[in-house]
């Protein structure tokens, strides 16, 4: 066991959370693929705790107190038991007989490890930096729980059924293990948020945002998004947290992203845009996946709040999004309503999955505005009066309703005259077009100083 724990000694001596978390990983490192097997073979169930205790006691590089050493004995023993179940599951998978029993056993063992970690962290027996090691351990629990639920779901779907079954609402728990894991994450969050250590350098409050982000990921996976609001409220109620800007960039970007998505789903687009814009500006440039996730919601927000279509340069930042948003944006710019409807329908599965379909549907108003603007531009300019020069020339502000109706019908839209009038009235009401409708003269009278806001006219 002494040799098997050498990587742990080196990681602990660094005083950093990540090296210790890398040792306490369910996945062997690429440079040492046999590490989990070596660690497992270093002891057995009967001698485990004695072997770990002896190894820690006679290792001089770690310099732990007896109490802290006792805590790590429990954690390392829990890790050994989890590794034992992981190896069993790997062997079952290699033999083609992996079922729910093997992976649920992995989940249970890893949950025990995480709970042991929480117990000793709350007792103050571990160094403060270990809260981030606990975060990585909990994040592994989330992934293992998802895998365990998948195995349980496969087993249930393969099992023969008798009697009647409800084909609308499932009778079995679909995310049983992930829901259990969410309760574990709540304990860690409370542990961080409730720390009363006056010395902020040794406070567990530095783990608040990374644990909150872990909860967000879990709640979104469980489709229990409303629970995320409780996390936000708990954080906003705290008056003694360190300044947000002092937290690691990764924690801030992820938190602002989820805060923006939550506001987006509540249709508070102004707040959503503010949070997502902050996440975008803070995000590390090479993080293509993160930038793509942020833009997925930031682009629809700007369409609603600023009636602004994304530039080609912005879409180039996320090639995957360009595939879905590109045709939509092109149709909006051209004022092609029929093309817009087709692009929206083509991307519907992805848009619905991302929960942005209804918001993008509203951007049809911008496509309509651009079509109406073309009609306005096609009307030309008023004749110059005596004494006027070219700089005094202004566009014709009176446009017959029939011209707008013709443009819509030529674009493939089947509309009655009353419907055209209704569409124009909505454009004026929403501030996309400035003017008024003269029903008596079947005419639209547009503002001479700016008929279409946000278009430079």
């Amino acid at each position: 066991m002494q040799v098997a724990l050498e990587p742990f000694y080196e990681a602990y001596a660094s005083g950093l959370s990540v090296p210790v978390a890398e040792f306490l990983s369910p996945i062997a490192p690429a440079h040492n693929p046999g590490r989990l097997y070596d660690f497992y073979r270093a002891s057995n169930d009967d001698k485990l705790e004695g072997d770990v205790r002896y190894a820690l006691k006679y290792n001089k590089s770690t310099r732990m107190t007896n109490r802290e050493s006792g805590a790590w004995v429990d954690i390392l023993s829990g890790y050994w038991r989890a590794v034992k179940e992981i190896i069993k599951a790997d062997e079952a998978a290699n033999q083609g007989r992996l079922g729910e029993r093997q992976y649920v056993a992995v989940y249970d063992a890893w949950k025990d490890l995480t709970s042991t970690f929480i117990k000793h962290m709350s007792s103050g027996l571990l160094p403060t930096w270990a809260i981030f090691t606990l975060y990585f351990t909990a994040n592994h629990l989330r992934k293992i729980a998802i895998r365990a639920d998948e195995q349980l779901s496969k087993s249930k779907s393969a099992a023969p059924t008798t009697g009647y079954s409800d084909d609308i609402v499932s009778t079995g728990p679909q995310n049983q293990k992930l829901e259990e894991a969410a309760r574990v994450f709540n304990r860690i969050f409370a542990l961080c948020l409730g720390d009363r250590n006056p010395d902020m350098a040794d406070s567990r409050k530095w783990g608040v945002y990374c644990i909150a982000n872990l909860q967000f990921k879990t709640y979104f996976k469980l489709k229990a998004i409303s629970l995320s609001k409780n996390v936000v409220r708990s954080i906003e109620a705290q008056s003694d947290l360190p300044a947000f800007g002092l937290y690691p960039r990764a924690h801030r970007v992820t938190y602002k992203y989820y805060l923006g998505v939550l506001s987006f789903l509540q249709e508070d687009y102004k707040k959503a845009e503010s949070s997502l814009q902050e996440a975008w500006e803070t995000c590390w440039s090479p993080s293509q996946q993160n930038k793509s996730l942020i833009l997925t919601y930031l682009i629809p927000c700007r369409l609603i709040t600023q009636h602004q279509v994304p530039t080609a340069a912005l879409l180039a930042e996320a090639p995957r999004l360009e595939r879905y948003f590109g045709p939509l944006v092109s149709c909006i710019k051209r004022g092609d309503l029929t093309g817009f409807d087709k692009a929206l329908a083509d991307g519907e599965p992805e848009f619905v999955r991302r929960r942005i379909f209804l918001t993008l549907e509203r951007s049809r108003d911008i496509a309509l505005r651009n079509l109406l603007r073309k009609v306005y531009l096609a009307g030309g300019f008023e004749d110059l009066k005596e004494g006027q020069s070219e700089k005094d020339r202004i566009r014709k502000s009176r446009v017959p309703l029939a011209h707008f109706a013709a443009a819509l019908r030529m674009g493939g839209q089947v509309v009655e005259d009353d419907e055209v009038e209704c569409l124009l009235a909505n454009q004026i009401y929403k501030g996309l077009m400035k003017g008024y409708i003269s029903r008596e003269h079947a005419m639209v009278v547009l503002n001479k100083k700016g008929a279409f806001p946000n278009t430079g006219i």
Side-chain angles (χ1 to χ4, degrees), residues 19-143:
V20 178
E22 289 175 348
F23 176 81
L24 296 173
S25 172
I27 303 169
H31 66 273
N32 186 10
R35 186 181 70 77
L36 294 185
Y37 283 89
D38 293 340
F39 182 67
Y40 171 62
R41 294 189 185 110
S43 188
N44 56 55
D45 288 298
D46 296 330
K47 298 180 180 180
L48 175 60
E49 292 189 10
D51 287 347
V52 175
R53 184 173 287 105
Y54 180 86
L56 290 181
K57 181 177 180 181
Y58 290 100
N59 180 272
K60 304 302 181 185
S61 63
T62 54
R63 298 182 180 179
M64 296 179 188
T65 64
N66 288 336
R67 294 184 69 205
E68 184 184 347
S69 177
W72 284 113
V73 167
D74 287 348
I75 292 169
L76 291 169
S77 297
Y79 177 60
W80 185 91
R81 295 186 185 97
V83 167
K84 174 184 174 182
E85 299 301 335
I86 290 169
I87 290 173
K88 283 184 179 180
D90 286 344
E91 291 175 348
N94 292 336
Q95 296 170 12
R97 55 181 181 81
L98 180 63
E100 64 174 82
R101 184 178 61 82
Q102 287 86 3
Y103 228 83
V104 168
V106 173
Y107 166 79
D108 289 338
W110 202 269
K111 181 185 174 186
D112 289 343
L113 167 62
T114 309
S115 296
T116 300
F117 216 132
I118 294 171
K119 180 181 74 173
H120 291 304
M121 198 79 215
S122 62
S123 299
L125 300 180
L126 301 176
T128 307
W129 53 257
I131 192 65
F132 296 108
T133 305
L134 174 56
Y135 159 75
F136 286 107
T137 305
N139 195 33
H140 287 308
L141 179 65
R142 179 181 67 87
K143 296 174 183 177

Side-chain angles (χ1 to χ4, degrees), residues 307 362 365 423-433:
H307 307 134
R362 295 183 187 180
D365 286 337
L423 289 171
L424 291 167
N426 280 332
Q427 289 278 301
I428 294 170
Y429 174 76
K430 293 175 181 178
L432 294 168
M433 184 169 74

Side-chain angles (χ1 to χ4, degrees), residues 365-431:
D365 286 337
I366 309 171
L368 175 60
R369 177 197 68 183
N370 291 340
L371 175 62
L372 300 179
R373 176 174 172 259
K374 284 184 176 182
V375 176
Y376 171 67
L377 294 176
F381 295 88
E382 299 280 3
D383 295 333
L384 290 174
K385 297 179 181 178
E386 186 177 350
Q388 289 184 325
S389 63
E390 282 297 323
K391 67 178 182 179
D392 299 316
R393 192 182 287 277
I394 60 172
R395 290 191 175 277
K396 292 180 179 178
S397 59
R398 297 168 65 85
V399 183
L401 278 168
H403 289 189
F404 291 118
L408 285 164
R409 289 164 187 154
M410 287 176 64
Q413 301 296 300
V414 181
V415 287
E416 300 291 337
D417 289 344
D418 288 345
E419 189 175 353
V420 173
E421 187 176 328
C422 181
L423 289 171
L424 291 167
N426 280 332
Q427 289 278 301
I428 294 170
Y429 174 76
K430 293 175 181 178

Side-chain angles (χ1 to χ4, degrees), residues 5 80 87 105 127 171 179 185 212 242 326 335 343 345 360 393 423 427 453 455:
L5 286 176
W80 185 91
I87 290 173
T171 56
E179 288 173 1
F185 305 153
L360 288 175
R393 192 182 287 277
L423 289 171
Q427 289 278 301
T455 61

